[in-house]
Amino acid sequence: MNIADLRKSYEKAELSETASHADPLQQFDQWLNEAIKGEVPEPNAMTLATVGSDLRPSTRVVLIKGYDARGIVWYTNYNSQKGRELAGNPYAALQFHWVEMERVVRIEGIVEKVSDEESDEYFKSRPLDSRIGAWASPQSEVIDSRTVLVTNAAKYGAQFLLHPPRPPHWGGYRLKPDTWQFWQGRKSRLHDRLRYTLQDDGGWLRERLAP
């Protein structure tokens, strides 16, 4: 099989100006809920792209943990590579790819940390193993072996028992969108692609882009 010969015809749905929402957050809410109801694998998974001080972009998959008019929220280690890159350059991009629904959502904007209160509340809701894991993993750092993680987990598990506090290096980020793109696969590669751009008055300009 030649990888260049792999092709798929997209024919499941369409995206029109008249059938889409004027507010991109409402459009996102509709599509995300349709992905959840359609039992798409990990519909909450999104790719996060950041750029380091060396101007090299990097990506990784994170999980959305909340969204509203203020933006898109996820949680992570502030000392990780993405945390360090966001500290130097707060602009980032997110992408959802719901393969089974032939849909992509791209979101761009500036990122800020959520409040300590929000981070504390979410941290308390996590399973115990995940809370211990936040202490055990020096994310993005070189370690000798998996034994380091297991040993750290045992150490912090014994130290905190059932009530580990939120680590000072762990918490949430919120991306405040200024651009959204919604892509719906269509037949013959004539896909539907709508872009929403934030205007000075707080409204959104909706435009169709060539695929």
Side-chain angles (χ1 to χ4, degrees):
M1 171 65 70
N2 186 342
I3 193 171
D5 294 330
L6 293 176
R7 292 181 176 85
K8 175 182 178 180
S9 181
Y10 301 98
E11 303 179 14
K12 288 191 174 182
E14 62 181 42
L15 178 64
S16 68
E17 290 83 346
T18 55
S20 61
H21 294 281
D23 185 332
L25 184 63
Q26 294 181 24
Q27 185 64 40
F28 174 73
D29 181 71
Q30 176 185 325
W31 273 20
L32 176 58
N33 279 285
E34 288 176 358
I36 294 171
K37 292 177 182 177
E39 298 184 345
V40 170
E42 293 199 281
N44 55 333
M46 56 187 184
T47 299
L48 165 66
T50 57
V51 177
S53 59
D54 57 0
L55 302 184
R56 294 174 65 98
S58 60
T59 65
R60 72 288 291 160
V61 176
V62 297
L63 301 179
I64 184 174
K65 293 300 180 180
Y67 63 96
D68 55 26
R70 296 173 298 169
I72 310 294
V73 174
W74 68 95
Y75 291 86
T76 191
N77 188 316
Y78 291 143
N79 295 331
S80 63
Q81 179 180 348
K82 55 185 171 295
R84 295 194 301 269
E85 291 179 347
L86 287 170
N89 176 11
Y91 289 94
L94 299 170
Q95 177 174 287
F96 292 84
H97 186 192
W98 298 309
V99 178
E100 292 76 7
M101 305 185 77
E102 301 173 354
R103 288 174 174 173
V104 173
V105 180
R106 296 165 56 185
I107 314 165
E108 299 176 11
I110 194 167
V111 177
E112 63 184 15
K113 290 181 179 179
V114 306
S115 68
D116 288 342
E117 291 76 16
E118 289 177 89
S119 291
D120 288 340
E121 182 178 359
Y122 174 69
F123 188 78
K124 291 177 182 177
S125 74
R126 304 183 86 207
L128 178 60
D129 287 350
S130 296
R131 284 178 280 156
I132 293 296
W135 284 93
S137 174
Q139 195 172 112
S140 300
E141 294 184 12
V142 175
I143 57 176
D144 291 334
S145 69
R146 184 174 176 81
T147 302
V148 173
L149 299 178
V150 175
T151 301
N152 284 350
K155 169 189 170 182
Y156 289 112
Q159 179 178 342
F160 297 126
L161 300 177
L162 299 179
H163 303 287
R166 178 175 65 89
H169 57 264
W170 190 97
Y173 287 104
R174 175 179 288 109
L175 183 141
K176 301 165 61 176
D178 55 34
T179 306
W180 297 73
Q181 284 195 39
F182 295 85
W183 181 96
Q184 176 68 64
R186 297 294 301 274
K187 190 175 181 181
S188 302
R189 294 299 187 266
L190 301 178
H191 311 302
D192 289 328
R193 185 179 173 194
L194 298 183
R195 179 179 66 188
Y196 295 74
T197 307
L198 183 63
Q199 303 298 287
D200 291 339
D201 62 1
W204 292 93
L205 173 64
R206 179 177 51 189
E207 301 171 297
R208 176 173 288 268
L209 301 182

